[in-house]
């Protein structure tokens, strides 16, 4: 990673198009993600956010244009090596139902050939990091824990092998507001300790404002602007305005100072 | 002489033919599993092959068993020994449920699980052996269960080509018009099918319940 010139984007979408069954899911899409930043993808359901994540880790390849990770096109990467560098928290959780929580979280370290005690310690650390008591959870199966707990295991699993990249597809969607807020704060402090390049998908504007270094708005498979959280909140025109209006209107209803 | 007395008097022969029957079923099932599971995996990887492979297995299934035994009779190596031939024919019959269930089990794995496995960088082989096959195992065993019960029944016909087994009693009883003789073949065969059904049924439940 260090052989990358400092100004080179960690991830780059260069006029990317993705076509499936005669329909463009992504059109002329350009985006640069800097090293160490948390880019939030915000957009309506079906706008193409998951598609963007899947293009980054090579689960799908562009029909036109280039997606570059660390300067190299995803078509030129060995896909397994590429994906091992990118932690992936998928939208539906995707925990392995026949593995215990411990085996789920330790999967990639084990595949990478870490010695068992090191995997064990790492799993312990990761579970604590996402706020799950290791003693209580490690021997359970995914169907024996709640939906929100499963999501957190998904985050722990993606972090376990300490990859430089992290793709998170609505990782906190199933959490209650209190746990969600706690988890967001843990996430912020985690981000200060481990410097990773993250792409974070959410539907929640507040979450976007809280966690993002920059927010990319996606509309119908196109980029509709990139904002810093402050720019985003202050937008009085353009696509970001609708979102910002929602935040302002909610504030007004609640009687918050404008 | 009652049915029971007949059984007791012929217990030696019942035992021998049961063992022979078990051999026919066991050997053919082993072959069917060893061939059928990889074929099922292949079909799941190359959907275009599904018509060819599942179609052929389907056609095999529709050939009346006595006719299949007859068709194989002139085959050079197979025809030389009756049990060899019978085992081959039985394995061909058992193939379809095993291929079909392996295929169904693998393609039935939750797409989110598949997405996670691929997205985290598992190789195709790791995915197959650590994710797909373990998750499909319950459905695969269900196929083995169906195939075994089926084979125990069809194996009685192997006696018609001199391969032995419990069918000996059945054909003899038919010729003698003696129900006791028929039962000496039918009852042990039914027990065998029942035991296989219960055993594989329990195994299937265990495999499914380990993660549901
Ligand atoms: N495998 C597929 N086959 C056909 N269409 C697909 C497929 N996957 C996604 N799409 C379509 O592509 C578009 C973008 O999907 P994508 O999953 O990227 O949306 P998203 O922004 O992640 O939505 P959400 O917020 O609901 O998760 C949608 O219109 C969807 O219907
Ligand atoms: Mg999505």
């Amino acid at each position: 990673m260090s052989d990358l010139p400092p100004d080179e984007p960690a991830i780059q979408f260069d006029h990317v198009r993705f076509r499936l069954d005669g329909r463009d899911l992504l059109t002329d899409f350009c985006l640069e993600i800097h090293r160490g930043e948390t880019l939030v993808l915000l957009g309506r359901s079906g706008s193409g956010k998951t598609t963007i994540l899947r293009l980054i880790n090579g689960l799908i390849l562009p029909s036109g244009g280039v997606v570059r990770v660390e300067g190299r096109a995803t078509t030129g990467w060995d896909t397994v090596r590429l994906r091992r560098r990118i932690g992936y928290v998928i939208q539906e959780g995707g925990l392995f139902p026949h593995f215990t929580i411990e085996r789920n979280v330790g999967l990639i370290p084990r595949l990478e050939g870490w010695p068992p005690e090191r995997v064990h310690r790492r799993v312990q650390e990761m579970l604590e990091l996402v706020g799950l008591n290791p003693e209580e959870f490690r021997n359970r199966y995914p169907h024996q824990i709640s939906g929100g707990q499963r999501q957190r295991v998904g985050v722990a699993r993606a972090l376990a092998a300490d990859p430089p990249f992290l793709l998170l597809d609505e990782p906190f969607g199933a959490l209650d507001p209190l746990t969600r807020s706690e988890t967001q704060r843990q996430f912020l402090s985690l981000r200060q300790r481990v410097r990773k390049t993250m792409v974070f998908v959410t539907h929640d504007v507040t979450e976007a404002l809280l966690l993002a270094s920059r927010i990319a708005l996606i509309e119908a498979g196109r980029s509709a602007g990139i904002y810093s959280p402050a720019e985003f909140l202050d937008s009085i025109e353009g696509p970001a305005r609708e979102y910002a209006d929602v935040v302002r209107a909610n504030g007004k209803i609640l009687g918050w100072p404008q | 002489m009652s049915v029971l007395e007949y059984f007791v008097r012929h217990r030696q022969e019942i035992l021998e033919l049961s063992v022979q029957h078990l051999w026919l079923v066991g050997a053919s099932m082993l072959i069917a599993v060893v061939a059928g599971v990889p074929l099922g995996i292949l079909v799941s990887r190359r959907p275009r092959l599904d018509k060819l492979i599942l179609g052929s297995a389907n056609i095999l299934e529709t050939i009346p068993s006595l006719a299949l035994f007859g068709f194989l009779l002139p085959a050079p190596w197979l025809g030389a020994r009756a049990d060899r031939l019978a085992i081959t024919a039985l394995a061909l019959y058992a193939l379809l449920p095993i291929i079909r269930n392996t295929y169904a089990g693998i393609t039935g794995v939750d797409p989110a699980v598949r997405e996670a496995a691929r997205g985290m960088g598992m190789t195709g082989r790791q995915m197959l052996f650590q994710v797909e096959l373990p998750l499909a195992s319950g459905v695969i065993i269900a196929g083995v269960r169906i195939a075994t019960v089926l084979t125990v029944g069809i194996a009685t016909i192997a006696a018609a080509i001199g391969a032995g087994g419990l069918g000996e009693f059945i054909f003899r009883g038919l010729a003698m018009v003696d129900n006791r003789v028929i039962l000496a073949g039918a009852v042990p065969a039914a027990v065998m099918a029942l035991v296989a059904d219960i055993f594989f049924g329990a195994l299937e439940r265990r495999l499914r319940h380990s993660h549901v």
Side-chain angles (χ1 to χ4, degrees), chain A residues 8 20 47 71 79-80 90 147 156 163-164 181:
Chain A
E8 171 130 37
L20 192 71
S47 56
T79 46
V80 170
I90 76 162
S181 166

Side-chain angles (χ1 to χ4, degrees), chain A residues 18 20-21 23-26 42-54 91-92 169-170 201-203 218 221:
Chain A
F18 182 72
L20 192 71
D21 306 330
R23 205 162 72 86
D24 276 351
L25 303 189
L26 222 56
L42 193 63
R44 285 180 194 271
S45 197
S47 56
K49 304 180 296 294
T50 300
T51 305
I52 292 168
L53 297 188
R54 301 179 81 222
Q91 199 164 4
E92 297 88 359
D169 203 343
E170 288 191 61
V201 172
T202 180
H203 287 138
I218 313 298

Side-chain angles (χ1 to χ4, degrees), chain A residues 14 43 135 142 148 155 229 233 251 258:
Chain A
D14 190 353
E135 303 323 314
V155 174
L233 197 56
Q258 295 295 303

Side-chain angles (χ1 to χ4, degrees), chain A residues 13-147:
Chain A
F13 283 75
D14 190 353
H15 298 280
V16 172
R17 168 172 173 200
F18 182 72
R19 200 172 169 77
L20 192 71
D21 306 330
R23 205 162 72 86
D24 276 351
L25 303 189
L26 222 56
T27 322
D28 197 36
F29 186 76
C30 293
L31 179 67
E32 294 194 342
I33 301 166
H34 308 309
R35 215 159 353 139
E37 83 163 324
T38 302
L39 184 104
V40 167
L41 296 175
L42 193 63
R44 285 180 194 271
S45 197
S47 56
K49 304 180 296 294
T50 300
T51 305
I52 292 168
L53 297 188
R54 301 179 81 222
L55 280 162
I56 295 172
N57 63 12
L59 280 171
I60 49 178
L61 297 172
S63 322
V66 190
V67 179
R68 292 189 189 86
V69 176
E70 292 179 342
R72 194 189 306 171
T74 49
T75 47
W77 274 91
D78 170 71
T79 46
V80 170
R81 284 206 49 205
L82 173 69
R83 291 171 192 160
R84 296 274 172 95
R85 294 185 66 73
I86 304 177
Y88 186 30
V89 182
I90 76 162
Q91 199 164 4
E92 297 88 359
L95 297 186
F96 302 115
H98 59 307
F99 283 4
T100 59
I101 301 309
E102 166 135 35
R103 271 194 83 186
N104 262 289
V105 175
L107 178 74
I108 295 303
R110 216 177 51 245
L111 293 182
E112 292 277 313
W114 293 22
E117 327 80 68
R118 186 164 163 228
V119 177
H120 185 81
R121 274 200 311 275
R122 185 69 181 168
V123 170
Q124 173 115 2
E125 255 173 62
M126 289 302 103
L127 287 177
E128 279 165 2
L129 189 74
V130 297
L132 296 173
N133 177 2
E135 303 323 314
E136 195 183 336
F137 287 96
R138 69 155 44 104
N139 292 321
R140 296 209 203 165
Y141 284 89
H143 71 277
Q144 295 169 325
I145 65 178
S146 78

